[in-house]
Amino acid sequence: MDMKVAKKLGLKERYTMMTRDLAWDTTFQPMDKVFPQVGYEGIKIHDWDKWEDPFRLTMDAYWKYQAEKERKLYAILDAFNQNNGHLSVTDARYINVLKLFLGSTPPLELMAARGFSMVARQMVGAGPRVACMMQSVDEYRHFQTQIHSISNYNRFYNGLDEFAHQQSRMWYLSDGKSFFDDAITAGPFEFMVAIGFAFEYVLTNILFVPFISGAAYNGDMAAMTVGFSAQSDEARHMTLGLECIKFMLEQDPDNLPIVQRWIDKWTWRGTRKLASVGMMMDYMLPKRIMSFKEAWEIYFEQNGTALFTDLARYGIKVPKCFEQTIEEKEHITHQSWIGFYMKPDATPFHTWMPQPEELDWLSEKYPNTFDKYYRPVYEYWIEQEKAGNRFNNKTQPMNCQVCVSTIKFNEPGDPMEMCFRETEYKGEKFHFCSDHCKEIFEDEPEKYVQTFISSHAALQGKCEPEGTDVNAHDYRPGARMHAYWRMDKRASGDFNGSEDQKNFAKWRAQATRN
Amino acid sequence: MTSNAFIAFQKNEETRCIVEAIVEDNPAAVVVDQPAMVKVDVPGRLVIKRATVEEKMGRDFDLQELQLHLITISGHLDESDDEFVLSWQR
Ligand SMILES: [Fe+2]
Ligand SMILES: [Fe+2]
Ligand SMILES: [Zn+2]
């Protein structure tokens, strides 16, 4: 009997057969009517088949490896819980980094999932459609695993349970939310630059690599495994973002100025978002592996330069903000921590003054700026705290109309001066944290006049808990922000004296004694 | 100046073999150990060869298994059945 043995297909052939060969052009309706969004931004594409996923990942292989990742992840989470893993972290201050990280990230992952499923529908080529679909499923996975991780800590510690409610309402969560809102309301190609390039290539490297390695260093197996499991998808996401940029630039020289503007805009937006991640590394990890400045140098300056050198062949220039970010890397984390410490009643996590050896570590890591500008502030506040006078700023912050971070960063070239810009549009004044944000606004004012800024809206009586009568004669705008935020009082205030601090000490003592 | 291509993995038994294979196939490789992870930098171009990884592991290895352990990469990627290449030289 003759039997034909089919030769096993190679990776490249398999990829072609399972993606491009399964796609077809529509005939009942013209293609440009079925895929109208790809034309809106002015990007010209001539041959969608030129786009290939360099991972050559097909759907069957995708499910196989993702299932394996999930099995590993949940086995580790189970072990962590069975062992009371939360008590093995360095000290209870560490839990606050999780409140900030896990409280702000899952809703952003969900937005990424939504965005990529939209773009997967909008892109014409089979290559990007499949890759975007996979990324959408990945991001949904990150959203779910991070929430599972929250629930493990939520059993023991305060301030984690209202993250979904707080996402759209809390002043310090607005920068991340606005980043994704801006991206998802842009066209498909800008979305790819915003998330695939700026968020994945610039941001996740710092968020998930040194920061998660730092979580491991602080004994947090759960955050480590969730973070690394997510990051195992990010390598694919960065590749997709990079591929999209190359693809646009190779398809038509007219795409260059559009892509350049997006790179300028989104590199800046990513940088602004990173200030709080850097602060977590420098101030909130009790044990530190590297400073934000060092991470920035490796993952942005060196790695970014490698990319921009490479893209120079298409005429791409280093983003306009590059120089400013190099100057700012020595300042922003300190300015952010000062900003959060000042408002102990306005966050569902605790803040504190660095310990003496931590101040010394900061001096060593930031020799040009720390002793000169920031140590004196901390020494003054430490003294005030000892005198029973812990600093507490009860006012609403002012936020940038574009990046929605609080206006607190310094004037370029002058660390003692706060940077502040404003512009007028249709008779109304708008405020910005920087020249870059002002420029982004002026490019698309109709988009950014719509930005929702809770700390400003609160003063107009728009952020009140249900049942508030804003016309009552004794009404004071913003006076009931805590109820509007659904803030757990136990979760706010200084770390010293907090319920978390006491519980952690008690539980750890129980774990080592009868 | 040549830019570095790099790759980072979670630290485990499998990636110990993968890193050994990278070091063998990329003489200029620099291995950076960090808590729970390992990063390998190579100027210009980094290659992972299936055959070398199989030799280190003592079993068959599909390069797509790298997906399980990857943390981050830098450089343009080209993947085939036999090689996983990251490069800034094109
Ligand atoms: Fe994600
Ligand atoms: Fe991602
Ligand atoms: Zn801004």
Side-chain angles (χ1 to χ4, degrees):
Chain A
M1 190 174 66
D2 255 9
M3 218 166 74
K4 261 206 191 131
V5 180
K7 197 177 120 260
K8 197 172 169 262
L9 292 176
L11 186 60
K12 288 183 188 184
E13 290 164 289
R14 201 163 67 233
Y15 176 78
T16 308
M17 294 191 75
M18 300 281 282
T19 53
R20 202 171 301 154
D21 284 7
L22 292 178
W24 69 94
D25 280 1
T26 56
T27 48
F28 289 174
Q29 289 289 330
M31 287 290 277
D32 56 343
K33 273 202 172 167
V34 179
F35 300 100
Q37 291 90 349
V38 287
Y40 291 164
E41 298 160 284
I43 292 290
K44 294 178 185 161
I45 305 297
H46 307 288
D47 182 4
W48 281 96
D49 282 349
K50 286 270 150 53
W51 183 318
E52 199 165 327
D53 169 12
F55 274 104
R56 304 204 168 88
L57 194 61
T58 52
M59 230 40 225
D60 56 327
Y62 174 77
W63 294 126
K64 182 173 124 194
Y65 292 119
Q66 296 304 97
E68 180 72 28
K69 287 180 190 177
E70 290 279 279
R71 273 193 294 274
K72 284 176 76 170
L73 167 67
Y74 283 100
I76 296 172
L77 285 185
D78 284 347
F80 180 83
N81 290 329
Q82 287 156 7
N83 266 304
N84 270 330
H86 69 101
L87 292 177
S88 61
V89 303
T90 35
D91 79 52
R93 289 181 304 167
Y94 172 79
I95 307 292
N96 293 286
V97 83
L98 292 177
K99 295 182 193 177
L100 183 48
F101 169 58
L102 292 174
S104 58
T105 316
L108 306 182
E109 302 279 13
L110 182 59
M111 284 299 273
R114 287 173 176 154
F116 276 100
S117 62
M118 279 163 59
V119 175
R121 168 63 185 83
Q122 293 168 353
M123 289 285 181
V124 179
R129 293 168 65 95
V130 171
C132 288
M133 201 58 243
M134 286 174 185
Q135 179 156 355
S136 176
V137 178
D138 292 338
E139 304 295 5
Y140 207 86
R141 179 174 92 89
H142 303 168
F143 164 67
Q144 288 182 326
T145 54
Q146 284 164 14
I147 288 176
H148 289 153
S149 204
I150 290 179
S151 76
N152 295 331
Y153 290 98
N154 186 43
R155 272 176 237 164
F156 302 102
Y157 303 100
N158 300 321
L160 286 146
D161 46 352
E162 289 292 356
F163 71 93
H165 174 82
Q166 288 165 351
Q167 176 69 7
S168 310
R169 296 169 177 83
M170 201 74 176
W171 60 286
Y172 71 90
L173 295 171
S174 310
D175 58 349
K177 180 175 163 52
S178 111
F179 188 104
F180 277 84
D181 285 355
D182 190 351
I184 210 167
T185 51
F189 287 108
E190 184 175 351
F191 179 84
M192 293 293 285
V193 175
I195 308 301
F197 164 72
F199 201 82
E200 305 288 359
Y201 198 86
V202 179
L203 253 144
T204 59
N205 259 329
I206 293 186
L207 182 58
F208 285 109
V209 187
F211 172 67
I212 291 296
S213 180
Y217 200 39
N218 282 276
D220 184 0
M221 208 162 74
M224 177 208 75
T225 188
V226 167
F228 279 160
S229 187
Q231 191 64 22
S232 69
D233 300 338
E234 304 305 355
R236 196 153 28 76
H237 300 174
M238 287 174 213
T239 305
L240 179 61
L242 195 56
E243 204 53 30
C244 182
I245 288 186
K246 273 195 295 182
F247 178 67
M248 287 187 282
L249 295 170
E250 278 170 7
Q251 283 291 306
D252 200 298
D254 288 353
N255 294 338
L256 175 64
I258 306 176
V259 174
Q260 180 75 58
R261 189 171 65 79
W262 289 338
I263 287 181
D264 288 345
K265 168 181 172 181
W266 288 100
T267 303
W268 178 248
R269 292 222 55 179
T271 306
R272 271 293 177 255
K273 178 74 200 89
L274 263 184
S276 50
V277 180
M279 174 192 88
M280 294 193 272
M281 292 176 66
D282 282 349
Y283 285 89
M284 299 181 84
L285 294 179
K287 266 167 67 174
R288 292 139 210 214
I289 42 166
M290 62 167 75
S291 65
F292 167 71
K293 177 172 167 265
E294 290 163 320
W296 184 253
E297 285 162 358
I298 297 171
Y299 291 105
F300 183 72
E301 286 176 34
Q302 291 167 24
N303 198 31
T305 303
L307 175 64
F308 295 122
T309 309
D310 184 73
L311 295 179
R313 78 188 64 208
Y314 304 111
I316 286 286
K317 294 196 180 67
V318 170
K320 263 188 223 167
C321 63
F322 201 84
E323 284 307 308
Q324 186 171 339
T325 66
I326 291 173
E327 185 190 318
E328 284 194 349
K329 74 184 173 196
E330 308 207 46
H331 295 280
I332 51 167
T333 63
H334 316 303
Q335 292 169 0
S336 292
W337 187 244
I338 286 172
F340 279 109
Y341 176 84
M342 277 175 21
K343 300 181 67 59
D345 296 339
T347 56
F349 59 87
H350 302 295
T351 49
W352 56 85
M353 276 292 102
Q355 292 166 0
E357 61 281 8
E358 290 168 342
L359 290 172
D360 293 342
W361 182 87
L362 290 163
S363 298
E364 187 198 315
K365 293 293 180 184
Y366 293 92
N368 302 322
T369 54
F370 190 73
D371 284 349
K372 197 166 169 200
Y373 302 108
Y374 304 107
R375 184 187 274 270
V377 178
Y378 292 139
E379 284 175 344
Y380 174 74
W381 275 344
I382 289 166
E383 235 171 67
Q384 291 293 304
E385 211 176 289
K386 277 188 193 138
N389 192 26
R390 198 242 193 248
F391 195 88
N392 190 345
N393 174 352
K394 292 179 190 287
T395 62
Q396 295 287 339
M398 184 168 179
N399 298 61
C400 172
Q401 190 72 22
V402 168
C403 70
V404 205
S405 52
T406 54
I407 293 182
K408 61 173 173 259
F409 299 111
N410 65 272
E411 185 65 42
D414 186 0
M416 296 303 281
E417 193 61 52
M418 193 166 75
C419 184
F420 175 77
R421 299 287 181 273
E422 61 177 44
T423 197
E424 249 188 62
Y425 183 72
K426 291 190 176 165
E428 223 184 307
K429 247 184 207 163
F430 296 93
H431 310 283
F432 311 99
C433 73
S434 57
D435 291 317
H436 304 291
C437 282
K438 181 168 178 265
E439 201 182 314
I440 294 170
F441 177 92
E442 284 167 348
D443 244 5
E444 285 178 278
E446 288 296 332
K447 181 171 197 178
Y448 297 103
V449 293
Q450 302 172 60
T451 307
F452 176 74
I453 301 176
S454 64
S455 43
H456 301 183
L459 299 176
Q460 302 167 332
K462 289 177 185 161
C463 301
E464 297 297 340
E466 245 172 276
T468 307
D469 178 9
V470 296
N471 296 311
H473 71 281
D474 60 345
Y475 168 72
R476 281 202 306 119
R480 297 174 68 194
M481 283 311 263
H482 289 101
Y484 170 73
W485 289 330
R486 293 194 197 154
M487 179 89 106
D488 180 347
K489 277 264 181 233
R490 299 169 301 173
S492 59
D494 200 279
F495 171 75
N496 288 305
S498 65
E499 191 177 273
D500 280 359
Q501 182 189 31
K502 288 176 200 146
N503 282 340
F504 185 84
K506 189 172 79 194
W507 293 331
R508 201 182 243 182
Q510 279 168 359
T512 50
R513 250 169 279 132
N514 271 318
Chain B
M1 204 189 88
T2 333
S3 305
N4 278 343
F6 65 68
I7 193 160
F9 298 108
Q10 298 181 44
K11 223 185 272 176
N12 57 38
E13 276 308 297
E14 309 250 288
T15 56
R16 190 173 54 79
C17 300
I18 299 168
V19 171
E20 274 177 26
I22 299 177
V23 170
E24 193 168 303
D25 291 329
N26 302 267
V30 177
V31 179
V32 190
D33 244 306
Q34 274 167 18
M37 62 172 266
V38 54
K39 177 169 176 267
V40 191
D41 288 271
V42 184
R45 183 178 185 270
L46 182 159
V47 58
I48 304 177
K49 294 185 181 162
R50 183 175 53 83
T52 318
V53 177
E54 288 183 338
E55 194 188 296
K56 301 287 173 195
M57 285 188 177
R59 66 164 175 91
D60 286 349
F61 183 76
D62 185 330
L63 284 172
Q64 289 200 323
E65 286 179 52
L66 290 173
Q67 302 267 350
L68 297 172
H69 315 293
L70 267 183
I71 289 176
T72 183
I73 54 175
S74 174
H76 296 286
L77 169 67
D78 190 30
E79 187 176 349
S80 69
D81 292 290
D82 299 319
E83 287 189 347
F84 182 103
V85 181
L86 289 166
S87 171
W88 288 116
Q89 306 159 340
R90 40 171 198 134

